[in-house]
């Protein structure tokens, strides 16, 4: 289980190595670089559903929900409501029941992310840690001014946990 609030660090690792995302001391590798490496980025990532979330959500750069919403429609609505309520936050990440994730970006854009198994290797699905890693990685791309469209096919992995983004449906 992820702590309610963490300092997240995103570091580019070069074109072939992708990027490193450090969350609460746990190192994740995100590959491939998907159209260029993200910026080196340090930000505050908060779970508004956590015990201390309400206290820290107002200062968060990223809000990543620990509790899934009942479907992508509800996740999209929650992502946009969180952005409206927390004006200093750049993006939100809300998982949906049954899999998938909605990432809301300041300015009104929504990304719907679907997960899929890798052709080889373990697949753990998306839990709180995976949601936090993807949210931090996307934050690093936004800070670098990189497009979000080429995220399909991205793989995030740490200590035997693997997450593969099968589809990313860019919203408006």
């Amino acid at each position: 289980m992820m702590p309610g609030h963490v300092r997240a660090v995103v570091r580019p690792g070069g074109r072939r190595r992708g990027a490193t995302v450090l969350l609460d001391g746990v190192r994740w590798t995100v590959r491939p670089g998907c159209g260029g490496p993200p910026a080196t980025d340090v930000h505050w990532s908060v779970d508004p559903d956590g015990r201390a979330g309400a206290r820290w959500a107002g200062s968060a750069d990223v809000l990543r929900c620990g509790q899934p919403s009942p479907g992508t429609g509800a996740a999209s609505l929650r992502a946009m409501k969180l952005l409206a309520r927390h004006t200093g936050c750049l993006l939100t990440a809300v998982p949906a029941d049954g899999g998938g994730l909605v990432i809301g970006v300041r300015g009104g854009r929504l990304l719907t992310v679907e997960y899929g198994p890798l052709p080889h290797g373990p697949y753990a699905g998306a839990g709180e840690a995976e949601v936090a890693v993807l949210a931090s990685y996307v934050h690093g791309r936004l800070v670098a001014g990189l497009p979000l469209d080429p995220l399909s096919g991205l793989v995030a992995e740490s200590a035997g946990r693997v997450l593969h983004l099968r589809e990313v449906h860019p919203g408006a």
Side-chain angles (χ1 to χ4, degrees), residues 4-172:
H5 52 282
V6 297
R7 179 175 167 258
V9 179
V10 180
R11 294 184 184 141
R15 291 210 179 273
R16 299 207 188 278
R17 293 184 300 159
T20 298
V21 177
L22 297 169
L23 291 169
D24 200 37
V26 177
R27 178 182 308 270
W28 286 78
T29 301
V30 181
R31 57 181 169 77
C34 295
T40 297
D41 178 32
V42 177
H43 59 269
W44 194 236
S45 175
V46 174
D47 177 359
D49 299 329
R51 284 189 358 208
R55 180 176 47 183
W56 295 104
S59 64
D61 302 301
V62 171
L63 289 173
R64 33 113 187 132
C65 298
Q67 297 295 319
S69 290
T72 56
S76 297
L77 184 60
R78 180 140 197 246
M80 297 317 287
K81 283 184 175 182
L82 283 168
L83 284 170
R85 186 178 318 129
H86 302 286
T87 57
C89 177
L90 182 59
L91 72 86
T92 58
V94 183
D97 276 339
L101 173 70
V102 173
I103 296 176
V105 179
R106 172 88 35 224
R109 185 155 188 207
L110 288 169
L111 301 174
T112 304
V113 180
E114 296 177 13
Y115 309 112
L118 287 170
H120 307 288
Y123 175 66
E128 290 179 65
E130 288 83 2
V131 169
V133 167
L134 292 177
S136 288
Y137 179 79
V138 170
H139 188 273
R141 289 188 65 82
L142 287 169
V143 169
L146 294 171
L148 299 180
D149 298 345
L151 292 177
S152 290
L154 182 128
V155 177
E157 57 189 314
S158 177
R161 295 175 73 176
V162 178
L163 179 66
H164 177 250
L165 276 61
R166 185 177 67 229
E167 298 282 341
V168 177
H169 305 283

